[in-house]
Amino acid sequence: MDRDALPAAGAAGTLGDRHVLRFTVPLGRPEEDVWPAVADRGGLASWLAAVDVLEPRLGGAIVLRGLDEPGGPAVSGTVTAWDVERVAEYSLRGDAGRLRFHLEPGEHGDRDATVLRVTHTFEGPDHLRRARLAAWPARFHHLATAL
């Protein structure tokens, strides 16, 4: 896969101060290779944020550090969805919001590829929405490199 050409279709919606960012990221790796990147301490740390705590189960604790900026503060939360090798969702405190990762087989059911659907829901001013919308493409390039 040409990592420099990683496509990510994105959409954003806003209602007042509530924002929903959605991305569809095709990855040229099977789901079992992508799952640890969204559901494992080391995997998340390789592309998203440092992970101080991750209890990989529904209701488990999660603590991410540097989600919005390198060296940034730790943000704690809860695992609010956990369907092994399919869905991991983390609801974080403050304006960090909710991160949902949903894995599907690649285009036309290709088991050697994965479609990663990412939804980031949060509340805050519009400048926060713009900053986060701009940050995700670079994260997806880091993800592709880490895989």
Side-chain angles (χ1 to χ4, degrees):
M1 170 174 60
D2 180 359
R3 291 186 171 120
D4 294 327
L6 179 70
T14 297
L15 180 59
D17 283 345
R18 185 166 192 246
H19 310 285
V20 180
L21 309 180
R22 290 183 178 91
F23 301 93
T24 303
V25 185
L27 298 164
R29 302 295 298 255
E31 292 174 69
E32 60 267 15
D33 290 354
V34 178
W35 175 250
V38 301
D40 174 89
R41 287 178 68 157
L44 285 165
S46 72
W47 71 279
L48 182 66
V51 181
D52 292 341
V53 175
L54 174 58
E55 296 173 346
R57 60 178 170 75
L58 187 60
I62 184 166
V63 179
L64 300 178
R65 200 168 10 90
L67 181 63
D68 282 328
E69 60 186 80
V75 179
S76 62
T78 304
V79 177
T80 48
W82 193 262
D83 183 1
V84 176
E85 297 192 13
R86 288 194 43 106
V87 177
E89 180 181 273
Y90 311 114
S91 293
L92 304 166
R93 290 177 179 70
D95 66 7
R98 185 180 71 220
L99 299 171
R100 183 178 182 88
F101 304 102
H102 184 130
L103 282 65
E104 300 173 0
E107 188 175 332
H108 307 296
D110 181 1
R111 292 286 180 188
D112 291 327
T114 302
V115 173
L116 174 63
R117 298 189 189 282
V118 177
T119 305
H120 188 181
T121 306
F122 57 95
E123 292 184 7
D126 194 57
H127 70 83
L128 184 59
R129 178 194 61 82
R130 289 190 310 269
R132 288 184 174 163
L133 188 59
W136 278 105
R139 289 178 175 149
F140 297 138
H141 284 289
H142 291 303
L143 172 60
T145 300
L147 292 173

